């Protein structure tokens, strides 16, 4: 079993500014302990001759090719806009920047 304690979980919650209930601390202590134990098991079998991998199976690109197709004109795209500025949508400012 890992050495993760409730005090460590409380301390991490304090550092992260997260208010945890006693039940959440208990659950997280258990969950984090399982994570640490799992990493320890993997570390036991990972040897120097085991290559590092990000995925157990090779990945292939499944994206389609980009194909240029007809699109909306500027006038069509802006036809339903409540307000516009030239060829762009005009939206209310949300930041206090110029």
């Amino acid at each position: 079993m890992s050495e993760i304690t409730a005090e460590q979980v409380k301390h991490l919650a304090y550092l992260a500014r997260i208010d945890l209930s006693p039940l959440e601390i208990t659950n997280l202590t258990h969950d984090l302990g399982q994570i640490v134990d799992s990493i320890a098991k993997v570390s036991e079998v990972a040897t120097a001759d085991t290559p590092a991998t990000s995925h157990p199976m090779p990945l292939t690109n499944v994206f389609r090719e980009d194909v240029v197709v007809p699109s909306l004109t500027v006038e069509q795209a802006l036809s339903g806009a409540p307000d516009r500025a030239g060829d762009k949508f005009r939206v209310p400012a949300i930041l206090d920047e110029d």
Side-chain angles (χ1 to χ4, degrees):
M1 190 68 183
S2 77
E3 298 177 17
I4 299 291
T5 66
E7 289 304 315
Q8 290 172 316
V9 173
K10 287 180 191 177
H11 181 67
L12 288 172
Y14 171 77
L15 293 175
R17 308 293 193 261
I18 300 172
D19 187 23
L20 296 176
S21 70
L23 179 61
E24 290 171 320
I25 291 170
T26 301
N27 290 341
L28 280 172
T29 301
H30 176 262
D31 294 346
L32 289 172
Q34 284 186 323
I35 292 169
V36 169
D37 290 343
S38 297
I39 292 171
K41 285 181 186 176
V42 170
S43 296
E44 289 174 7
V45 296
T47 61
D49 59 337
T50 304
T53 58
S54 61
H55 299 283
M57 307 213 16
L59 297 178
T60 57
N61 187 353
V62 295
F63 298 113
R64 64 170 170 77
E65 292 294 322
D66 287 336
V67 178
V68 178
V69 297
S71 185
L72 297 175
T73 65
V74 172
E75 289 305 317
Q76 289 171 324
L78 294 173
S79 66
D83 197 8
R84 66 187 276 183
D87 288 347
K88 301 176 179 88
F89 291 95
R90 182 186 304 264
V91 296
I94 60 170
L95 302 174
D96 293 330
E97 297 177 358
D98 291 330

